[in-house]
């Protein structure tokens, strides 16, 4: 275990098993539909690649980057688009893939945006859900695991651009982000 990690929340094996189930659900929903899977960078990239293969359903993939966090551990409450997708979405089904839904600000804004662009449907798949911290009116349609309010890293999730490479999801020691 990494020295900055207090405890492991989900092991590599638990993650893989849950991703497989999510993939199956997504395959059932989108089989025969025109699907665009949008990865919300950077945190979701690891989950996205796993989910894409677990779903095994034809999809165009694209990437979007938004910022609401900066380098802190608290959401700043507004969202900037840093990188937009290039795939056309009008009349197509969009699945937004996120690592974690926290305040919900970023996904709320993205859902609105894709709705305005004329997507046939816009759904959200988030690997983790910190329900207790939600302030925006948005829910994920697919969730890997609901978690308590703790700052987690690994499996793509970072703190100040670190720890994304960890194959498990762990709780970051408080002293790391409170010093
Ligand atoms: P929201 O807009 O507040 O829902 O923020 C969601 C984004 O905040 C996620 O995509 C993550 O990048 C980041 N985030 C929220 N909680 C955590 C955490 O515990 N660890 C790492 N990143 C987090
Ligand atoms: Mg993110």
């Amino acid at each position: 275990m990494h020295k900055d990690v207090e405890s492991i929340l989900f092991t590599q094996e638990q993650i893989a098993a849950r991703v497989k189930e999510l993939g199956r659900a997504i395959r059932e929903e989108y089989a025969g539909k025109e699907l665009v899977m949008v990865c919300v960078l950077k945190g979701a990239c690891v989950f996205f690649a796993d989910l894409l293969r677990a779903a095994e359903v034809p999809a165009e993939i694209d990437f979007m980057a938004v910022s609401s966090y900066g380098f802190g551990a608290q959401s700043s409450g507004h969202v900037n688009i840093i990188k937009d997708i290039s795939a056309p979405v009008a009349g197509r089904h969009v699945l937004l893939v996120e690592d974690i839904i926290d305040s919900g600000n970023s996904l709320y804004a993205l859902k609105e945006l894709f709705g305005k662009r004329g997507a046939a449907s816009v759904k959200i798949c988030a690997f983790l859900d910190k329900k207790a911290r939600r302030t925006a009116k948005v829910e994920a349609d697919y969730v890997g695991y609901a978690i308590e309010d703790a700052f987690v890293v690994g499996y793509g999730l970072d703190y100040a651009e670190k720890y994304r490479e960890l194959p498990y999801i762990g709780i970051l020691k408080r002293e790391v982000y409170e010093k």
Side-chain angles (χ1 to χ4, degrees):
M1 195 166 80
H2 193 290
K3 66 169 178 33
D4 294 346
V5 171
E6 184 182 283
S7 60
I8 293 179
L9 255 191
F10 303 110
T11 64
Q12 199 168 355
E13 291 73 26
Q14 286 172 313
I15 293 170
R18 190 66 188 118
V19 170
K20 217 171 168 183
E21 291 172 356
L22 290 171
R24 197 177 307 128
I26 284 163
R27 178 162 65 244
E28 281 167 15
E29 167 137 11
Y30 293 103
K33 292 185 184 163
E34 219 182 305
L35 172 62
V36 183
M37 273 175 77
V38 176
C39 174
V40 185
L41 295 169
K42 303 175 194 170
C45 73
V46 179
F47 173 47
F48 186 77
D50 284 348
L51 187 67
L52 177 68
R53 289 172 291 181
E56 249 190 285
V57 72
E60 177 164 354
I61 62 167
D62 214 327
F63 301 86
M64 183 120 191
V66 297
S67 76
S68 66
Y69 259 61
F71 279 92
Q74 292 287 316
S75 177
S76 64
H78 78 193
V79 176
N80 297 314
I81 294 177
I82 295 165
K83 183 217 174 300
D84 206 342
I85 62 165
S86 50
V89 296
R92 305 169 82 195
H93 298 272
V94 171
L95 181 64
L96 298 171
V97 180
E98 252 289 28
D99 49 3
I100 186 166
I101 176 168
D102 185 25
S103 72
N105 288 332
S106 25
L107 283 168
Y108 179 86
L110 287 177
K111 217 178 160 173
E112 290 257 289
L113 178 70
F114 285 103
K116 282 197 195 121
R117 289 178 178 177
S121 70
V122 187
K123 290 201 173 182
I124 294 169
C125 179
F127 192 65
L128 299 175
D129 185 357
K130 278 192 206 171
K131 260 201 179 338
R133 287 175 47 88
R134 193 84 79 261
T135 51
K137 276 189 87 168
V138 63
E139 288 306 327
D141 301 277
Y142 299 96
V143 171
Y145 293 104
I147 63 167
E148 302 295 309
D149 182 12
F151 201 84
V152 294
V153 294
Y155 195 58
L157 289 144
D158 74 309
Y159 172 68
E161 299 301 330
K162 286 163 72 181
Y163 316 109
R164 294 193 196 275
E165 71 284 5
L166 301 178
Y168 51 82
I169 292 170
I171 297 179
L172 188 64
K173 286 182 182 166
R174 264 185 179 278
E175 67 211 48
V176 177
Y177 57 90
E178 280 184 350
K179 70 181 168 208

